Amino acid sequence: MASQLEDMGEHFLSCSICLHSFKDPKLLPCLHRFCRECIKPVVDESDDKVKCPLCKQDCDKPDDGVDGFKTDFHTRNVVEYIQLQKSVAAEEVRKCIGCSKELHVAAFCFKCRGFICRKCHEVHESSGMTRDHKEHVLALKDVKDKHLTLEKLGSLREAPSCSDHPDKLAEICCVDCGNLPICVVCGQYEYHKGHTIRGVRELAAEERKKIEDSMKVLKEQDKNVHGLPAKLAEAIKSLENNIAETKARIRSQYNEEAEKINEEEREADGVLAQHKAEVDRKEREVVADLNRQRERELKTVNDKYDKCVSEAKAKAADERGGKDTAASKTKDVLAKKRSYLEKEFSELILSVDHQGNTNMKTFGELSDQSTQRIQRYDNFVAVVSSVLASRDHWTDVSCLPDMNVSSKPLIEDAKKEFPEIAALSKVTSKRITPVFAPKANPAPVIKRDDFKSDDDYDKYVKEHLRIGMNVICCKADQGVQEGDTGKVIGFDWNDCFNPTCEWQRLGGTQNVSYSDVEIVDRGIQVGSKVRLQQYAVNPGHGQEGVNPRSVGRVTAINGKNCTVVFPTKKQWKGLLSEVEHVLLLRRSAFQDDGSYSAYVRDTIGVGMAVKCYKDDGMVKVGDTGTVTRMDDSDPGQLRIEVGWQRQGGAHWVKHSSLEILGLRLLSVGDTVRIKQDIPFICARGGTGKITGIVDSRWCNVLFAGRGRSLTVLFAQIELSS
């Protein structure tokens, strides 16, 4: 403790307003001290509350202004000692209060408040008049050697004067008047009679016990108080790293989605170029064939072939124009997707920056609070430690009660943990919305009948309709008739997401409302029914005896190539662009016979299985058979030759008398699959083998896990692909 006075920094004994040593220091409830004249303007300009210039803590304004705050006698004495120490170090000549001579002095009497030379010092201690001053005399040698402690300095102080009798020294304290120093006369007979009176030693010990307990609790929070800046620094670093990582992740997602758009654009350009080249090649071949044929024909038919050439060129121009329009729409869609992607990217980056700036601002406020809290903590510890080290009873009873009061909010503040720091060190961001639906195994198409209302189904169509899907018109719309089938080739983003379709009956494209179509399937896949495109008279991989009206099943798809099983060609290989999807729909999908009859005319092909639903000559309702030939010489009625099972021979019928059952008739030995649950027999998706034909409606099937064949309807099963 010998160096306690020397350990006090200049800042502890200097006013933070004027930056000089304290003069008549006033003590605020937060234990910060200021010169009386420095803090007076602050107090005078305040209303009901005075804000500490250092820690910004509010306190009540005393009724008598700045003089209502306690004078810090302890700090004032320490300042006097420091000034005395500086004077001794400078070896200044002083006037002795004993002999009144100007010379080098040897001591300072705190009771007389003056310097004493060496000779007068001896007299001062031996004289009967000043013998009681001995305990209050400070030898300047102790000052020079820096052997003085706060405790020793406190013992040199004289007891304060009575507040009502300045000529008398205080002997006791009035607790009711804020531990006011008074004499015995005041306590027993005058103003303080009846108040709680305590001896200074007893009261000082009690106040020291209280403050020592508070200091013990407060020092337990030392790590929490001084560790907060490190926590804040770590959290800020974590926030900065999190912001950088989040931005990098968003940018990576943006680049990934942008590359998908670029890839789709390149693919769209490639498809367009390939199609244009294909159309040009076919045009050249058709024109060349017609020119060679024209040369062999008689001159009288030249006009006819000129017309054919013109029609071929016009058709090529129309087809080329249609594909150009579709490609242009595709590029417009991709441009909009890119615009949406860039907009979302910018919004997410701005959101991350906003979160980061907001959190950084909050960290700044917490840092300011932390700095102020540390200042209050360090100031409190320093002030209390200084008072405790003086071990002066009068200082204890004067200062420690206020310090005990100030310690309670400081302890509560020191215990504060700031749990929000962990949350502030992070920023969040949602994923960038994918520009394309993920490529996964498509879910089965849900039919309109499976929904409770048309509105629910319309919502399903809008969410699930994709390019390449096959649809059927369920309500006449802009020239497209009910029952017409087609394939989705694009969407009109400016018209409520309505699809653009290639319609088989119209032979061209037309926009319709998404609420006027029903999804049939997802386009050409393995297992789809297809036939050669009408223009593919000489397909690139060879027709090789495939009837243009024959319908086959796709067994493999490899990029742009496919393998198809036709009735007359089991392993036909060609381009996907050379075949078209054949949609096999039930009569129940159409509202009238006329619509279904038109569908049959456009769809039926050689090798298909059919059923008679209207008597036609020798053929009766319910008879089944396989299409063998077709005659379209009559524009109004397509005649079909069918090999009928019941008659055991072929007969011609009108197409309007038939219903299409499938690619071919089921026969004994075929492996079949259940289309819907059959109670007590087999669940949907179960497989078995046909063991016998009962009639045109029923057959016997041996299902897996069954010991015998069961009789089921043909309508309940289908050929397993």
Side-chain angles (χ1 to χ4, degrees):
M1 294 179 61
S3 61
Q4 284 176 339
L5 287 171
E6 286 70 28
D7 289 341
M8 290 185 179
E10 288 291 334
H11 69 280
F12 184 76
L13 301 174
S14 300
C15 174
S16 59
I17 297 178
C18 66
L19 304 181
H20 296 299
S21 297
F22 287 114
K23 295 178 182 178
D24 193 12
K26 290 294 181 179
L27 187 67
L28 270 60
C30 61
L31 303 188
H32 284 124
R33 302 161 303 284
F34 304 94
C35 299
R36 180 185 181 281
E37 295 304 318
C38 292
I39 196 64
K40 187 176 185 300
V42 178
V43 177
D44 292 343
E45 293 174 5
S46 301
D47 294 329
D48 296 331
K49 297 288 184 179
V50 178
K51 187 182 291 293
C52 174
L54 276 179
C55 67
K56 310 303 179 183
Q57 183 174 328
D58 290 332
C59 63
D60 294 331
K61 180 179 178 180
D63 294 336
D64 50 351
V66 69
D67 292 327
F69 291 114
K70 287 187 177 181
T71 300
D72 191 350
F73 294 104
H74 172 70
T75 300
R76 187 180 68 179
N77 291 339
V78 174
V79 171
E80 288 180 355
Y81 170 76
I82 297 298
Q83 292 174 344
L84 177 64
Q85 189 180 48
K86 291 180 179 179
S87 176
V88 172
E91 297 184 351
E92 295 178 356
V93 175
R94 297 282 186 175
K95 183 177 181 180
C96 175
I97 60 173
C99 60
S100 300
K101 295 180 180 179
E102 296 282 345
L103 39 70
H104 292 290
V105 292
F108 182 86
C109 180
F110 279 87
K111 194 173 183 67
C112 298
R113 309 296 297 178
F115 289 96
I116 311 171
C117 66
R118 182 176 56 80
K119 290 183 179 180
C120 292
H121 182 203
E122 295 174 355
V123 175
H124 209 72
E125 291 187 340
S126 60
S127 171
M129 295 179 62
T130 58
R131 186 175 303 166
D132 59 337
H133 290 206
K134 184 175 181 179
E135 294 180 355
H136 305 290
V137 174
L138 172 64
L140 298 186
K141 182 178 182 300
D142 292 337
V143 176
K144 192 171 184 180
D145 294 342
K146 300 181 179 180
H147 289 155
L148 189 64
T149 64
L150 285 172
E151 183 177 357
K152 175 62 177 176
L153 182 63
S155 66
L156 293 172
R157 288 181 55 197
E158 186 179 25
S161 300
C162 174
S163 60
D164 294 330
H165 304 97
D167 57 329
K168 293 184 179 181
L169 293 179
E171 300 170 281
I172 54 179
C173 293
C174 178
V175 176
D176 294 346
C177 295
N179 293 350
L180 187 70
I182 58 175
C183 63
V184 175
V185 174
C186 289
Q188 292 181 350
Y189 306 107
E190 296 187 2
Y191 174 75
H192 299 280
K193 181 179 180 181
H195 289 190
T196 302
I197 306 300
R198 302 284 297 276
V200 64
R201 291 181 180 275
E202 176 188 1
L203 186 58
E206 186 176 307
E207 294 294 347
R208 289 178 69 86
K209 178 64 170 61
K210 291 180 182 178
I211 199 66
E212 285 171 353
D213 291 342
S214 295
M215 285 289 286
K216 182 178 180 181
V217 174
L218 191 60
K219 287 189 176 182
E220 290 176 354
Q221 304 300 323
D222 182 271
K223 184 177 181 181
N224 189 33
V225 172
H226 288 90
L228 181 59
K231 287 184 179 179
L232 288 172
E234 182 179 355
I236 290 173
K237 183 177 180 182
S238 176
L239 174 62
E240 292 171 345
N241 293 338
N242 187 256
I243 290 174
E245 291 173 359
T246 304
K247 284 186 174 182
R249 175 172 55 80
I250 293 174
R251 188 170 299 279
S252 174
Q253 294 172 4
Y254 167 79
N255 292 336
E256 180 180 344
E257 298 300 326
E259 180 57 30
K260 291 180 182 179
I261 292 178
N262 294 335
E263 183 179 347
E264 288 292 326
E265 285 182 338
R266 290 192 294 270
E267 184 174 344
D269 290 340
V271 170
L272 178 60
Q274 179 182 358
H275 181 76
K276 285 184 176 180
E278 183 69 16
V279 172
D280 291 341
R281 180 184 67 80
K282 292 171 183 176
E283 179 188 8
R284 290 193 300 271
E285 291 178 355
V286 172
V287 171
D289 288 344
L290 291 172
N291 284 332
R292 285 192 296 270
Q293 189 174 355
R294 181 173 55 182
E295 291 174 359
R296 293 192 298 266
E297 295 291 339
L298 297 174
K299 186 176 180 180
T300 55
V301 295
N302 281 344
D303 292 341
K304 174 183 176 180
Y305 285 99
D306 287 340
K307 182 180 180 181
C308 291
V309 171
S310 298
E311 290 177 351
K313 288 188 176 183
K315 182 177 180 181
D318 291 342
E319 189 174 355
R320 188 182 297 110
K323 288 298 181 181
D324 286 346
T325 302
S328 176
K329 289 185 177 180
T330 299
K331 287 203 143 188
D332 289 343
V333 170
L334 292 176
K336 289 185 179 181
K337 286 180 179 288
R338 184 186 296 278
S339 174
Y340 296 153
L341 174 63
E342 292 175 350
K343 179 182 178 182
E344 185 177 20
F345 169 74
S346 300
E347 290 175 349
L348 290 179
I349 291 297
L350 286 175
S351 174
V352 171
D353 287 337
H354 176 71
Q355 291 181 60
N357 293 337
T358 302
N359 292 1
M360 283 295 188
K361 181 179 178 181
T362 306
F363 274 136
E365 295 172 354
L366 289 176
S367 295
D368 293 341
Q369 294 179 26
S370 173
T371 301
Q372 294 172 7
R373 186 167 79 156
I374 291 174
Q375 290 176 349
R376 292 196 299 269
Y377 176 88
D378 291 344
N379 175 71
F380 183 87
V381 172
V383 171
V384 172
S385 299
S386 172
V387 172
L388 292 177
S390 71
R391 306 193 72 80
D392 179 73
H393 302 316
W394 290 108
T395 298
D396 291 348
V397 298
S398 175
C399 299
L400 294 186
D402 292 333
M403 293 181 181
N404 268 313
V405 173
S406 299
S407 70
K408 294 177 181 178
L410 186 60
I411 290 174
E412 292 300 320
D413 190 37
K415 290 181 178 180
K416 190 175 180 181
E417 293 292 340
F418 296 95
E420 65 269 25
I421 291 177
L424 290 172
S425 65
K426 298 178 181 179
V427 293
T428 59
S429 172
K430 73 179 187 69
R431 280 189 59 84
I432 284 184
T433 304
V435 293
F436 301 107
K439 295 181 180 179
N441 294 328
V445 174
I446 306 176
K447 300 299 182 182
R448 182 181 292 273
D449 294 341
D450 295 331
F451 290 84
K452 294 182 179 179
S453 66
D454 288 342
D455 290 341
D456 291 342
Y457 183 72
D458 292 344
K459 182 178 179 182
Y460 165 78
V461 171
K462 188 171 184 179
E463 292 177 352
H464 293 83
L465 196 60
R466 299 288 186 271
I467 292 175
M469 284 187 173
N470 292 305
V471 295
I472 182 172
C473 179
C474 54
K475 182 180 179 182
D477 186 1
Q478 303 185 41
V480 182
Q481 297 179 5
E482 183 177 347
D484 283 353
T485 57
K487 180 173 69 175
V488 178
I489 62 171
F491 295 95
D492 189 347
W493 290 71
N494 297 317
D495 187 17
C496 301
F497 190 71
N498 288 330
T500 302
C501 303
E502 278 185 344
W503 298 100
Q504 289 186 352
R505 185 184 61 81
L506 295 178
T509 62
Q510 178 62 54
N511 285 12
V512 294
S513 172
Y514 67 85
S515 61
D516 293 338
V517 297
E518 181 174 345
I519 300 175
V520 177
D521 59 32
R522 300 182 179 277
I524 298 178
Q525 306 174 62
V526 173
S528 297
K529 289 85 173 176
V530 297
R531 66 184 170 198
L532 291 179
Q533 292 272 16
Q534 292 182 7
Y535 70 79
V537 178
N538 296 305
H541 288 68
Q543 184 177 1
E544 298 182 0
V546 177
N547 190 313
R549 298 287 301 200
S550 293
V551 177
R553 181 189 296 272
V554 177
T555 58
I557 295 178
N558 183 14
K560 298 179 181 180
N561 300 317
C562 65
T563 302
V564 183
V565 175
F566 286 107
T568 57
K569 182 67 175 179
K570 298 303 183 184
Q571 287 292 321
W572 183 89
K573 295 183 179 180
L575 298 174
L576 280 171
S577 60
E578 293 178 335
V579 296
E580 63 181 1
H581 206 169
V582 177
L583 306 178
L584 299 183
L585 305 175
R586 297 300 181 191
R587 177 181 295 277
S588 58
F590 299 84
Q591 293 191 355
D592 57 66
D593 290 345
S595 298
Y596 183 71
S597 179
Y599 161 75
V600 171
R601 179 180 177 88
D602 293 337
T603 306
I604 197 167
V606 175
M608 281 189 171
V610 294
K611 179 176 71 173
C612 178
Y613 79 95
K614 186 188 300 182
D615 290 347
D616 190 344
M618 297 177 60
V619 182
K620 303 301 180 183
V621 174
D623 285 351
T624 57
T626 302
V627 177
T628 56
R629 285 190 298 172
M630 294 187 292
D631 179 10
D632 57 0
S633 57
D634 182 359
Q637 185 68 258
L638 178 65
R639 297 181 69 246
I640 311 293
E641 184 184 59
V642 180
W644 299 100
Q645 285 187 333
R646 184 177 63 82
Q647 290 86 346
H651 297 281
W652 291 88
V653 294
K654 300 173 183 178
H655 77 273
S656 57
S657 303
L658 299 177
E659 179 177 353
I660 300 174
L661 297 180
L663 285 184
R664 69 178 179 85
L665 288 176
L666 296 175
S667 59
V668 175
D670 286 340
T671 300
V672 294
R673 174 176 56 226
I674 295 295
K675 293 193 291 186
Q676 58 187 9
D677 292 347
I678 303 177
F680 310 110
I681 295 180
C682 191
R684 178 181 178 179
T687 59
K689 183 171 292 188
I690 296 178
T691 58
I693 305 295
V694 178
D695 55 29
S696 60
R697 298 180 61 217
W698 298 87
C699 66
N700 295 325
V701 180
L702 178 61
F703 292 103
R706 295 279 185 172
R708 60 185 181 85
S709 298
L710 301 174
T711 303
V712 297
L713 287 167
F714 279 111
Q716 295 174 318
I717 60 176
E718 62 183 354
L719 191 65
S720 178
S721 58

